[in-house]
Amino acid sequence: MNELSGFRGRVTSRDGTTVAYERYGDGDGPPLVLVGGAPGAADGRALAGLLARGFPVVAYGRRAHGGAEREIEDLAAVLAAAGPGAAVHGTGTGGALALAAAAAGLPVGPVSVYEPPHVDAPLDRVSACVLVVDGGFSPAETRRAARELAAALPRARHRTLTGQTHEVAPHVLAPVLAEFLAEEFRAEGFLTEGFLTEDRGAGTGRS
């Protein structure tokens, strides 16, 4: 992949904390916000580069301290900057944060999560469509937890990526997310049926 460059910006969270973000791509689709699996600098650049072929993608740096409530406020500020109807994808603890934010009533579009740990949030309040993904080579308890999470959510589906572990390959995950997002955005009337084509799709990896 070529060197990825994007617009860098900052937003102010509810408690006055400055949150840095990067926005990639100028696709026609609604935006996607990536929530990294650990606090610190924005990550997921490889995944962003693949998905930005079809969707504007926003990645931001999570704060190191402050607790779940403050992190939800940070995500709310980033979502406001991303634009209406933004989807959210979270890996690991980022997935747990994405679901907690959706349960708290943040205006999110479709949500996807990859192997989140225990989600301490009222899952019955998550109204968004959710894709729960795990790796075929991940521990059995991790895969079982992913299936149970999908079953506990009101509107969710589960997908296992063959040969993947918790360190999922971006080129394998990207087309699965792109397909899910395109399907959900089309259902909501944001995209046309011909949006996700072979030459515009996000990557070529398959599970």
Side-chain angles (χ1 to χ4, degrees):
M1 184 183 65
N2 294 331
E3 181 66 22
L4 182 65
S5 61
F7 170 80
R8 295 185 178 184
R10 295 178 181 273
V11 291
T12 302
S13 191
R14 184 175 180 180
D15 69 346
T17 298
T18 298
V19 181
Y21 70 89
E22 297 178 349
R23 186 183 183 106
Y24 308 103
D26 56 359
D28 299 328
L32 167 66
V33 174
L34 297 181
V35 186
D43 60 7
R45 288 174 63 84
L47 183 61
L50 293 166
L51 291 171
R53 299 174 187 177
F55 306 92
V57 180
V58 176
Y60 73 100
R62 292 174 56 189
R63 67 169 75 195
H65 305 286
E69 182 177 353
R70 294 304 184 200
E71 285 223 75
I72 289 173
E73 292 171 355
D74 293 350
L75 180 52
V78 174
L79 285 167
V88 179
H89 170 74
T91 297
T93 60
L97 174 57
L99 290 173
L106 263 62
V108 300
V111 175
S112 60
V113 296
Y114 188 84
E115 295 191 356
H118 176 71
V119 181
D120 188 18
L123 297 178
D124 60 329
R125 296 183 184 177
V126 178
S127 59
C129 256
V130 181
L131 175 65
V132 181
V133 188
D134 61 37
F137 279 179
S138 291
E141 57 268 27
T142 299
R143 297 175 59 191
R144 181 172 61 253
R147 292 193 299 271
E148 291 174 352
L149 174 61
L153 288 160
R155 303 168 61 204
R157 68 190 77 169
H158 171 255
R159 178 80 178 265
T160 295
L161 301 184
T162 303
Q164 296 300 300
T165 66
H166 188 67
E167 300 298 326
V168 62
H171 75 276
V172 175
L173 179 60
V176 173
L177 297 187
E179 181 180 23
F180 167 69
L181 293 174
E183 179 180 343
E184 294 303 321
F185 284 144
R186 279 197 299 265
E188 295 172 8
F190 292 124
L191 297 178
T192 63
E193 285 297 323
F195 175 78
L196 191 61
T197 62
E198 287 299 320
D199 59 350
R200 288 196 65 184
T204 58
R206 283 292 180 186
S207 63

